[in-house]
Amino acid sequence: MTIGCAVEELDTRQDLQAKGTAPSLAFSCVVDRNPVIERSALIWVTCLLDLENIAPERIFVHTVETDLDVLPQLAARGVNIVPVARFGDGKYCNKLVQPLSPADFGADILVMNDCDIAATGRFGAALAAEAVQARQVSGRFALGKTADFPNPPLDKIRALMEAFKVAPPEALAHDSLFHHALPLGYFNGGLYALPVALCAEFGAAWQDWALRLLGDPRTAKILEQHAHHVDQISFYLALRDLKLHAHCLDERFNFPTHFLHPESRNASVEPALAIHFHNNLDDKGLLGLSGIRAIDRDVMRVNDRLSALGLETDWDPGEDKRFRSWRSLETGVSMTTRNAPQLKTLLQAAGIETAETVTDVCCGSAAHLEGLTPRSYRGFDRRARMVEVAGQRLPEARFTTGAADAPGDLVLCLDFAEYAAGFDAPDQAVRMLAELTGDKLLLLGEPRSSDQGDLADLLRQDGVFRDVLHLGQFTGRPVYLALKRAGLPESNLLDLSRPEATRLLHYLYGDRATIPARFGAELDALSRLPSWLDAARVAVVGGGSDCAFTMAVALRGATLVSAANLVLTADSAASKRAVAKLKPVDFLFVFSGFGDDEQTGTGLQQVARNLVPGGRGIVLAATAKRSDALQPGSEGAETGAKVIRLLEKQNLVLTHEARVPTPFGTELDGLVIEVLKPRDGTVSKARKSRTPKFLRDFERNLRHRIKGKKPKS
């Protein structure tokens, strides 16, 4: 099997043509009477013409309806409009008419796309390179990307093949998202490509298999909810029958954005050659975000072109609510409804509402400012359209088209890649930002910044900034806060040997109040958390919504569940109402003084019930300070034991217990207790001993000696 060819090796179609090996491509789709499909077809054609520079005579729009509103717009661009009849189920199988189209494609390779594919500017050249690679293996080939999901699963495909007396798959591939096994050649329907010389032969076999499957009641019985994937299954079966070489493309050729990818994928995903957006469109009818920064930058480039051509429109997604959880708010910043709270926390931590003046060097449409109240703000952007939208959004603020030239106490650079594009080298961009910065600079890098260098080192290189804090990450991007003036004693803030979490908490507490005695316990609790929480639901009880610890948790990408009014007292009516409203959470932090208050214990039991299976709860309690004697006393031990007993009554498992000493002069020590809620709802009766191992060994050997037995080694 040939897997992909690096685009860098054969970067442009001109390189291939110079070698006399470049196949010519024709692009085809099928449009139907559906607002999403018609809008998608307009985007598909625009990207091919204006980003890929495909000649309009090489673009074919097949239509099963001749009076669609979008057809005159497409015809005006010079593309071919080809009327065809519906086929098979009249919906998903309409695409099967393309290989047998009456049109004269006049090319070597026919590329069949779903309408909801947006090419990013490198798609055609990369496909031509892949066709060259496939042709070296066999002149009879088909190109495609393995399906995104196991739709249907492999066992159902095998059962269907057995029912139709077809040999089971000999070679397997894996779906692109979850790595489940699928037959090699089972491609996603958004992209098929094969030599035009094979179209008649393959088209007949493809249609024949589709009709056989659709006309047999066993198909629906075996496939169940996956029966509408007959078009993909029949393509695979025709490919097998004709013994075509299945050339698998990687996910860059057909990257799905209808699926919310985990943040961890930011480290591995490469820029897309074509975006399969399905109906992930924003309220302007432009491409929606994916949650992956490299893809979102491609989305921004496509959207900028669509906007420049005047293709924005008021778009209503209708009944499809799949994308509500990450609806696009600001493409350039990769801001969605899902991560907007974290970005707001980052801006607040940087001091956007306390700085005397704020300069934003890549303001975009200024969606990130909604809900915030900077004292004096100036926004700059090179894109006039973005400045216009920002001015409409916030008429009281000042926005300017062009490069930033106004200094500010706080400077925001939320899209460093876009800003640095105006300079010869990233270090020049950093120096300009340093010149503009009066006090603080908030800078967002990129997930893989090898082409930008280490931003933290660049910020420190000239000694202009006295410290650089890593606030966290946003859409996989590192977030740095560079400080020109130290707001805290250098022993606290500027000691680079201190752990990052320590320095960050010192900074967050610096503008609020005296660092509390529980500081060490908060650090221990933070160390129990993953560095990135990926929108996990977190409730902080007793700490306060403006607590520095709460902000530190939010900076890690948590979704904070409101618990500001919740206090751990059983007889409080307000507390009971707050507990009742508290939704299930993945992490629960409880700040408590404890002592002998039975009502507090009852309140703790109530909130602990809200942990989801697999969730973790961390209690930060105050306990009696240990004695000054050489041999530690048992002061405070009862507090920890009491907390643990209360939590274990809720079927929670103890996973961590630590006493955190506080500085001399304070009356209490900190106590950190972590528990886990088992996924199966049961707890083993065997409890982990809290006696150190060396003491258990000593006691065991002593008992053996008393009984006259030989001690165990």
Side-chain angles (χ1 to χ4, degrees), residues 563-583:
N565 298 324
L566 199 155
V567 292
L568 298 178
T569 53
D571 61 350
S572 167
S575 177
K576 290 180 179 179
R577 288 194 297 269
V579 169
K581 292 181 180 179
L582 187 63
K583 296 181 179 179

Side-chain angles (χ1 to χ4, degrees), residues 626-627 632-638 659:
R626 286 189 172 182
S627 66
S634 61
E635 294 89 341
E638 178 58 30
R659 178 193 289 267

Side-chain angles (χ1 to χ4, degrees), residues 289-407:
L289 295 172
S290 69
I292 303 298
R293 178 62 177 171
I295 306 302
D296 290 346
R297 289 194 61 78
D298 291 321
V299 168
M300 180 174 65
R301 184 168 63 255
V302 171
N303 286 349
D304 285 347
R305 186 58 183 164
L306 295 174
S307 297
L309 293 172
L311 295 181
E312 293 184 358
T313 185
D314 292 331
W315 185 255
D316 181 6
E319 297 300 321
D320 195 332
K321 307 299 182 184
R322 286 182 294 169
F323 309 109
R324 178 179 291 175
S325 62
W326 77 96
R327 182 171 56 83
S328 302
L329 297 177
E330 178 62 72
T331 306
V333 187
S334 295
M335 176 184 173
T336 67
T337 49
R338 184 172 185 259
N339 59 33
Q342 190 212 355
L343 183 58
K344 180 179 179 180
T345 301
L346 286 166
L347 294 170
Q348 289 175 324
I352 190 172
E353 295 180 311
T354 57
E356 292 296 328
T357 57
V358 178
T359 297
D360 194 342
V361 301
C362 289
C363 66
S365 67
H368 55 283
L369 294 180
E370 291 192 347
L372 299 172
T373 55
R375 296 179 180 178
S376 176
Y377 173 90
R378 285 203 63 181
F380 297 84
D381 203 289
R382 296 187 180 95
R383 297 163 294 178
R385 174 58 180 158
M386 290 293 99
V387 172
E388 179 184 352
V389 174
Q392 295 170 354
R393 186 189 303 274
L394 297 172
E396 69 279 5
R398 299 170 60 190
F399 296 97
T400 305
T401 302
D405 57 5

